Amino acid sequence: MKRLALRTGVRWKISIAIAAVGALIAVALSLVVHNAARVSMIENAREVQLERLLGAQRFYEAASTQKNLPKFGAKLNDPAIPPSLRDEVRKNRRATHVAETPEGVPDVWAAVPLANGDVLSLHTRFADRSATIMDDLDRALIIGSVSVVFGGCALGVLIGGQLSRRLRKAAAAAGLVAQGQTDVRVREAVGGVVRDETDELARAVDALTDALNERIEAERRVTADIAHELRTPVTGLLTAAELLPPGRPTELVRDRAQAMRTLVEDVLEVARLDSASERAELQELPLGEFVSRRIGLLDPDVTVRVVHESWVSTDPRRLERILGNLLGNAAKHGSTPVEVTVEGRVVRVRDHGPGFPEELLRDGPSRFRTGSVDRAGHGHGLGLTIAAGQARVLGARLTFRNAAPVGAAEGTGGAIAVLWLPEHAPTNTGSFPTLRSAEERQPQT
């Protein structure tokens, strides 16, 4: 059974934690203060009650009459004396007693034994002033506890917000690194003066990025060196194959030698694209007309439909290379009919084959992707890789999707590659061209 995941930010987790801890501490301290104050006031009330009773006792013993006792509120042999207090007096002890009442205000008793065996007692309610003081204290404790909770929550939002911002910056920088921007440094993106675990994470990600960059660069150099070293013998092999006598074996040798030469050239082109040293040489051209003319030369059987013509500033050689690779991929792995649609700055190439594999849709083109994961079970996977690399040089975006909906039968719908050309593209100097006006684009008559 799949567990439900509740996603919350670090800011709110820290805020809730600080608020919860503050609330627990505030409640605990409030209870301690309330009980301590109540006990102190009750003890003080016991002492006051006993002092008043001793004063009444002295008047009673001096006058030997009960007429002054009501002035003090004292009584002789009061039948309402609590049993525990009566037991203490029988032991010839002075004693006090606090009895709780349903109203919540306790009764304070005091009793002393007399020489003739009588019991003199005094009974009053807990002082109203003391009750008012306790109410004010409880109110102050409640206000203080609520203030502590809200203050802790605000402090948690502040601290958690700062930590959350640093983590989000780190995540954004790591995402840029994952997209291929290897010059991005997570530690610089995080910034800040305070050093914490976020900086350790950033340094670890930067170290990992540097290690991966060094490995990728080493692999790229090795691949380029191998392809460069193979170019001369492969060219010699192809030249020697041309000298062979006509026949089926000669055709097979020439075909394989040409395939090897094409592979070597593709590997070299991938290495150049990976080095990020390629620059586009831009020209302004009508995209629909250019695509129609080039595809007519590459494959006359492909249907081209121009929905909306648009002038673009791009490198025609690289654009033709992208179109050729997309058509070659559709012809090799897809099925006819192949359709090309031009709409503004967007070019769509669609075949009616089994569609792109899930790995390509998820991870993008991968060089030397062969075997069962490939749509036709063969190929080097360099065509789409080169097309995507050339698109990056043009500042364009190349996306892949399948026409068939999710869950449709295999072999239906076909594959769709979409090239999104930018409004402005970088030139071979890294600058951006100035587009001509519509009047300047009109052909001269």
Side-chain angles (χ1 to χ4, degrees), residues 286-341:
L287 183 60
E289 178 185 342
F290 177 84
V291 172
S292 300
R293 186 170 62 251
R294 289 296 188 269
I295 290 182
L297 296 175
L298 294 172
D299 190 348
D301 295 331
V302 175
T303 302
V304 180
R305 185 168 65 96
V306 180
V307 178
H308 173 65
E309 181 64 277
S310 176
W311 282 77
V312 296
S313 180
T314 188
D315 189 329
R317 180 181 64 85
R318 298 184 188 277
L319 178 57
E320 183 176 1
R321 176 68 160 153
I322 295 173
L323 294 175
N325 283 16
L326 293 180
L327 291 179
N329 184 79
K332 182 182 294 185
H333 306 295
S335 179
T336 57
V338 178
E339 303 169 351
V340 177
T341 304

Side-chain angles (χ1 to χ4, degrees), residues 348-408:
R348 294 180 178 87
V349 179
R350 174 180 178 177
D351 63 50
H352 289 74
F356 291 116
E358 292 298 327
E359 292 80 1
L360 186 144
L361 297 178
R362 183 181 64 251
D363 304 327
S366 177
R367 65 197 68 176
F368 300 109
R369 186 192 297 274
T370 60
S372 59
V373 297
D374 192 89
R375 286 189 286 166
H378 61 276
H380 302 291
L382 295 179
L384 294 182
T385 302
I386 293 174
Q390 295 288 9
R392 286 194 298 271
V393 175
L394 295 179
R397 184 164 55 98
L398 185 60
T399 60
F400 305 93
R401 64 183 177 88
N402 289 331
V406 179

Side-chain angles (χ1 to χ4, degrees), residues 203-247:
R203 285 192 292 270
V205 174
D206 289 339
L208 176 61
T209 302
D210 293 337
L212 290 177
N213 288 339
E214 292 176 0
R215 181 173 180 179
I216 292 173
E217 180 62 22
E219 292 179 353
R220 186 192 65 80
R221 287 197 301 267
V222 170
T223 302
D225 292 343
I226 293 175
H228 184 75
E229 293 298 326
L230 286 175
R231 172 184 278 180
T232 300
V234 168
T235 302
L237 178 62
L238 188 61
T239 303
E242 295 294 334
L243 301 177
L244 294 176

